[in-house]
Amino acid sequence: MPSRNEALVADFAARLITWQQRHGRHTLPWQGGASGDAYPVWLSEIMLQQTQVETVIPYYQRFLANFPDLITLAAADQDAVLGHWSGLGYYSRARNLHAAARRIVAEHGGQFPRDIEAILALPGIGRSTAAAIAAFAFGERRAILDGNVKRVLARVFGIDGWPGEKAVETRLWSLAEALLPEAEIKAYTQGLMDLGATVCTRGRPGCESCPFTADCLANIQGRQRELPAARPKKDIPEKSTAMLVLMNAGEVLLEKRPNSGIWGGLWSLPEFSGQDDPQIAAYRLGYAATVLAELPSFKHTFTHFRLFIQPWKLQVDTPRMASEPGRIWLSLDDLDGAALPTPVRRILMALRR
Ligand code: ADE
């Protein structure tokens, strides 16, 4: 007789597909496009990597209106692409999307590749995203394993350990592969995403409306809060910086960051060491300026470190120079479409009020 677990593995997909058809999401703007047109699917999967559906929808629609196809995107300026990503955060996604579009034009004649290895080779596309694109755009039978799916599988099958750990992740991938249906891969893949996003949520999961409620090990054992296990706590290093908010006639000076490193390609405030005097820092940039205010300091947390930011507001006294390459003067009224790092946006939005 098959074990309880084997029986669940065997009919997991069929039950999920039935659930998706009745209770899943069917009207998301990236659903129901022409089969084989991978561009909108790819764009939506990249936007959805670190951002929730409700936030993504208006960005997705605006982005598609501006860059309706891959060729248009490849031909666009990086600044225009980053500008339309403005506010979504994690801008490396936009830089990679743009770079990938150019690669597809150069190496695949402008046709999004069907081959999974070719998809995986594109910048910004990992194993799970490649599989989601292959499944949604081309109907390929591929397993996905994003954060939501890890949570669903860890709970239903009672898998202990932090999913970011290699051994746990390997186990989850094998399970994800073993669960794949022979047909209806789109409904199945969407079902996994929908269940994770709408029922098997991180806090307060809706176990009463879950198709696996009677079999889910986390539910049976009351371990929903413990699974999946959290990342082991570690102290993350702290760094500090000071930022110059150089104002002139309602405009602020921004510098373009190099493409590599944090905030790559974005327009940021000039930085200086918190030990230095802000007026001297402005002078080094070529401006005589007067300090108006020490603005409130705050912390910004990255994955690997925490940045303590002290902004200073200064008024430029010298007539300002024309914009040089890599520098712009941006009106505080034009923040919306600018590609700014989140903490810089926060500083400048506060000045606008
Ligand atoms: N999260 C990641 N991809 C998604 C999709 N295609 N639909 C809904 N949520 C998602």
Side-chain angles (χ1 to χ4, degrees):
M1 204 178 79
S3 73
R4 217 184 147 89
N5 195 316
E6 282 170 85
L8 182 57
V9 169
D11 69 2
F12 180 89
R15 286 162 65 181
L16 185 64
I17 291 167
T18 302
W19 177 84
Q20 203 285 327
Q21 288 162 345
R22 289 196 199 135
H23 304 288
R25 299 174 289 187
H26 300 273
T27 55
L28 298 171
W30 43 87
Q31 289 178 319
S35 197
D37 185 8
Y39 176 67
V41 172
W42 169 41
L43 175 63
S44 66
E45 290 305 329
I46 298 300
M47 287 189 164
L48 289 160
Q49 275 172 353
Q50 274 115 338
T51 314
Q52 298 205 333
V53 166
E54 306 77 66
T55 310
V56 161
I57 289 175
Y59 280 93
Y60 170 82
Q61 288 168 330
R62 277 196 299 269
F63 198 95
L64 260 194
N66 280 279
F67 311 106
D69 51 54
L70 196 150
I71 308 290
T72 311
L73 176 63
D77 274 352
Q78 191 194 52
D79 241 22
V81 177
L82 294 179
H84 283 93
W85 209 268
S86 163
L88 264 186
Y90 302 97
Y91 289 86
S92 60
R93 295 184 294 175
R95 280 195 306 279
N96 283 330
L97 188 81
H98 189 223
R102 292 188 165 178
R103 274 256 292 271
I104 295 167
V105 168
E107 295 172 15
H108 302 285
Q111 284 284 328
F112 195 95
R114 274 191 86 119
D115 175 60
I116 193 82
E117 295 303 326
I119 298 175
L120 255 176
L122 295 168
I125 301 186
R127 181 170 168 189
S128 185
T129 300
I133 297 169
F136 286 135
F138 306 124
E140 288 218 14
R141 188 173 172 273
R142 301 275 171 193
I144 59 159
L145 189 66
D146 65 10
N148 280 344
V149 178
K150 286 175 181 171
R151 185 172 60 251
V152 170
L153 300 186
R155 282 182 177 156
V156 173
F157 294 92
I159 294 175
D160 283 295
W162 174 48
E165 198 181 308
K166 196 72 210 152
V168 180
E169 201 184 3
T170 303
R171 220 180 131 197
L172 288 166
W173 270 115
S174 317
L175 183 57
E177 304 273 1
L179 295 172
L180 284 179
E182 288 303 326
E184 303 211 69
I185 189 70
K186 291 185 197 184
Y188 173 77
T189 305
Q190 190 67 49
L192 272 178
M193 293 174 172
D194 292 350
L195 192 69
T198 66
V199 174
C200 194
T201 52
R202 210 150 70 88
R204 298 174 167 273
C207 300
E208 63 290 344
S209 27
C210 177
F212 303 110
T213 190
D215 307 275
C216 171
L217 278 178
N219 185 41
I220 291 167
Q221 300 171 351
R223 298 181 68 211
Q224 293 95 325
R225 288 163 66 96
E226 290 161 44
L227 293 174
R231 169 204 292 269
K233 285 234 185 329
K234 65 170 185 326
D235 293 334
I236 68 170
E238 231 169 68
K239 303 182 190 183
S240 69
T241 188
M243 290 188 173
L244 278 180
V245 182
L246 277 178
M247 298 297 307
N248 184 279
E251 295 180 334
V252 62
L253 180 71
L254 297 175
E255 291 183 330
K256 194 172 174 70
R257 309 251 332 167
N259 258 329
S260 58
I262 62 163
W263 304 331
L266 303 192
W267 291 95
S268 192
L269 292 165
E271 290 181 36
F272 65 105
S273 156
Q275 264 89 61
D276 290 350
D277 180 87
Q279 203 165 14
I280 293 174
Y283 187 74
R284 285 199 204 105
L285 288 176
Y287 299 97
T290 312
V291 174
L292 294 180
E294 177 177 352
L295 299 171
S297 61
F298 60 96
K299 280 180 192 158
H300 181 76
T301 303
F302 294 90
T303 341
H304 301 294
F305 67 97
R306 201 169 282 129
L307 187 63
F308 178 87
I309 299 173
Q310 173 61 67
W312 290 85
K313 184 180 179 190
L314 290 85
Q315 170 66 42
V316 173
D317 301 324
T318 42
R320 79 169 210 233
M321 293 186 251
S323 288
E324 304 159 55
R327 287 190 191 175
I328 52 163
W329 287 89
L330 182 74
S331 164
L332 290 184
D333 296 329
D334 293 338
L335 298 179
D336 292 348
L340 310 173
T342 304
V344 169
R345 178 175 300 280
R346 169 174 168 177
I347 294 167
L348 298 180
M349 292 293 276
L351 288 181
R352 193 151 80 161
R353 279 176 210 122

